[in-house]
């Protein structure tokens, strides 16, 4: 400890000084590079007077029933000549208080398939063959209970599993609540912008664009998300995951998150008040994503901010229930939540019958924060500022992790 303290004091002072000093030549270089990249993107896109060169939506080619999209405020034209209205807001103009709806497209998308449904079923039944779940948290409020687990696969980011039970809520209203992008900013202050890229009136499949705000030391993140709902006997399997979308060009900022998975299983359950009535709603959530920061630091951030984020959901759901009672019309995204694929339990079982995976276990032993080594925590705390500056290209992840491991090993050696 005596060896590390002066080292990290000098290190943090150096980082703060370096952060405050922003050479003009570096900013000019970045601007020139951005200009070159944007021009090359414009030249690579089809030239048309009806297309916006910086945010042009074209045929994705994933399915024959997806129509070409045109980001024009007047109208869009489908392949069969039908016209419909559209609203357009450039992602560069997003703010922190509102969401925007983009092009609505009639068609059938293959962004989410039955393979995704089967995978979610295996996660719900803990038959996906993954590692053991470690218990992280058990919290509750008068109208909500919450439990969370985490596991670390051999490859990929850490994965999270949670179980939330809302009192006095139906599965249908909770399903719509999580799908409603227009209402979400009222309880999710990280969502800065949302737009619908594609939607299918037959299956309810949607492709949406999200831009989420992160703390000051990280830049915003962009998500291209495909999502779809299956209904089984009044329960809902809601799949959302990151998908590729060639029609939305990748930009330097905000940084796009390619690996993203966040899916729910929603069903009615008995209230914990013991009245024997199915007046509560259970939500099983499975989530993982690669935000582009070191996974150990991401785990620390999730642990510290998880409950603060989750406890905002219950008052948001109450406000949503009141708003739905007073409003006759639904938002477009809430309406699409009601367009889902109904299947039987027998069909669901048949999807899984050709898979024989080992059962994933849930460890009932909680993670003990006191078991973490003090020097390791000190090192990761000192690395937070540096690691989160990766977006600015300061240092490589390899160098950061290499230095962190060496210092951790040195701090753990017996004197």
């Amino acid at each position: 400890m005596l060896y590390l303290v002066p080292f990290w004091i000098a290190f943090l002072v150096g980082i703060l000084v370096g952060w405050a000093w922003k050479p003009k030549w570096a900013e000019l270089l970045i601007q020139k590079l951005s200009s070159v990249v944007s021009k090359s993107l414009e030249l690579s896109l089809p030239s048309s007077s009806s297309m916006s060169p910086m945010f042009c939506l074209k045929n994705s080619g994933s399915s024959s029933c997806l129509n070409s999209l045109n980001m024009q405020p007047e109208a869009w034209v489908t392949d069969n000549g039908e016209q419909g209205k559209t609203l357009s807001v450039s992602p560069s103009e997003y703010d922190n208080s509102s969401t925007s709806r983009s092009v609505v497209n009639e068609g059938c998308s293959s962004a989410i398939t039955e393979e995704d449904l089967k995978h979610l079923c295996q996660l719900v039944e803990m038959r996906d063959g993954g590692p053991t779940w470690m218990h992280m948290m058990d919290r509750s409020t008068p109208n909500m209970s919450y439990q969370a687990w985490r596991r670390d696969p051999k490859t990929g980011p850490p994965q999270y599993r949670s179980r939330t039970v809302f009192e006095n809520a139906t599965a249908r209203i909770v399903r719509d609540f999580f799908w409603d992008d227009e209402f979400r900013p009222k309880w999710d202050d990280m969502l800065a912008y949302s737009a619908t890229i594609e939607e299918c009136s037959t299956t309810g499949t949607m492709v949406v664009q999200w831009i989420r705000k992160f703390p000051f030391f990280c830049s915003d993140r962009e998500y291209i998300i495909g999502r779809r709902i299956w209904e089984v006997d009044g329960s809902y399997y809601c799949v959302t995951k990151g998908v590729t979308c060639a029609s939305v060009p990748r930009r330097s900022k905000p940084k796009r998150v390619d690996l993203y998975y966040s899916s729910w299983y929603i069903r009615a359950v008995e209230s914990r008040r013991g009245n024997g009535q199915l007046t509560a709603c259970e939500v099983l959530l499975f989530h993982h994503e690669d935000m582009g920061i070191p996974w150990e630091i991401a785990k620390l951030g999730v642990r510290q901010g998880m409950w603060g984020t989750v406890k905002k959901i219950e008052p948001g759901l109450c406000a949503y229930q009141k708003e739905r009672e007073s409003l006759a019309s639904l938002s477009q995204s809430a309406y699409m939540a009601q367009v889902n694929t109904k299947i039987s339990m027998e069909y669901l079982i048949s999807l899984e019958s050709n898979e024989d995976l080992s059962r994933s276990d849930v460890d009932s032993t909680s993670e003990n924060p006191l078991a973490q080594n003090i020097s390791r925590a000190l090192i990761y705390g000192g690395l937070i500022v540096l690691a989160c500056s990766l977006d600015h290209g300061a240092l490589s992840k390899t160098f950061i992790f290499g230095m962190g491991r060496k210092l951790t090993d040195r701090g753990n050696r017996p004197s």
Side-chain angles (χ1 to χ4, degrees), residues 54-220:
M54 296 305 297
F55 195 70
C56 174
L57 297 179
K58 57 184 179 179
N59 274 335
S60 63
S62 60
S63 175
S64 60
C65 57
L66 286 178
N67 298 320
S68 147
L69 303 181
N70 191 347
M71 295 291 289
Q72 289 297 314
E74 295 86 2
W76 53 268
V77 182
T78 60
D79 292 338
N80 58 8
E82 296 177 354
Q83 292 186 349
K85 296 181 180 179
T86 181
L87 299 176
S88 173
V89 175
S90 171
S92 62
E93 299 174 358
Y94 67 86
D95 56 54
N96 196 30
S97 60
S98 65
T99 61
S100 301
R101 178 168 165 263
S102 181
V103 175
V104 176
N105 183 26
E106 295 291 336
C108 172
S109 175
S110 60
I112 307 294
T113 67
E114 289 186 345
E115 287 297 318
D116 298 298
L117 170 62
K118 181 168 67 174
H119 178 60
L120 177 56
C121 293
Q122 292 166 352
L123 288 172
V124 170
E125 298 175 6
M126 292 187 292
R127 293 182 58 253
D128 66 311
T132 300
W133 293 99
M134 297 179 295
H135 187 257
M136 290 179 59
M137 186 176 298
D138 195 340
R139 302 286 183 89
S140 64
T141 66
N143 292 311
M144 181 184 74
S145 61
Y146 179 77
Q147 296 172 296
W149 296 263
R150 195 199 77 229
R151 67 181 182 183
D152 299 310
K154 293 181 180 179
T155 59
Q159 300 177 1
Y160 297 91
R161 172 181 182 267
S162 68
R163 177 181 182 269
T164 310
V165 177
F166 299 101
E167 297 291 333
N168 303 317
T170 64
R172 291 174 61 88
I173 198 72
V174 173
R175 174 202 65 189
D176 296 353
F177 171 70
F178 283 117
W179 230 243
D180 198 330
D181 289 345
E182 285 83 351
F183 186 85
R184 179 178 280 267
K186 296 182 180 180
W187 61 271
D188 183 0
D189 54 10
M190 292 182 65
L191 183 62
Y193 172 88
S194 68
T196 300
I197 300 174
E198 300 166 355
E199 64 182 26
C200 173
S201 60
T202 304
T203 64
T205 303
M206 302 180 70
V207 177
V208 299
Q209 180 191 31
W210 280 10
I211 296 177
R212 296 181 66 81
K213 285 190 173 293
F214 280 72
F216 69 94
F217 47 77
C218 289
S219 64
D220 298 348

Side-chain angles (χ1 to χ4, degrees), residues 23 44 51 54 61 107 128 173 191-193 225 255 298-299 310 313 332 339 346 357 408:
S44 64
M51 289 188 175
M54 296 305 297
D128 66 311
I173 198 72
L191 183 62
Y193 172 88
I225 301 171
K255 183 175 181 179
K299 288 195 293 187
V310 170
I313 299 177
Q332 179 64 21
V339 183
E346 290 76 13
L357 300 176
T408 302

Side-chain angles (χ1 to χ4, degrees), residues 120 123-124 133 160-161 261-264 284-288:
L120 177 56
L123 288 172
V124 170
W133 293 99
Y160 297 91
R161 172 181 182 267
Y261 184 85
S262 188
S263 298
W264 305 272
L284 297 180
L285 169 67
F286 301 89
H287 180 95
H288 65 268

Side-chain angles (χ1 to χ4, degrees), residues 18-31:
W19 204 329
W21 179 69
K22 298 179 180 178
K24 294 183 178 180
W25 62 265
E27 294 181 356
L28 293 175
L29 179 61
I30 293 175
Q31 292 176 0

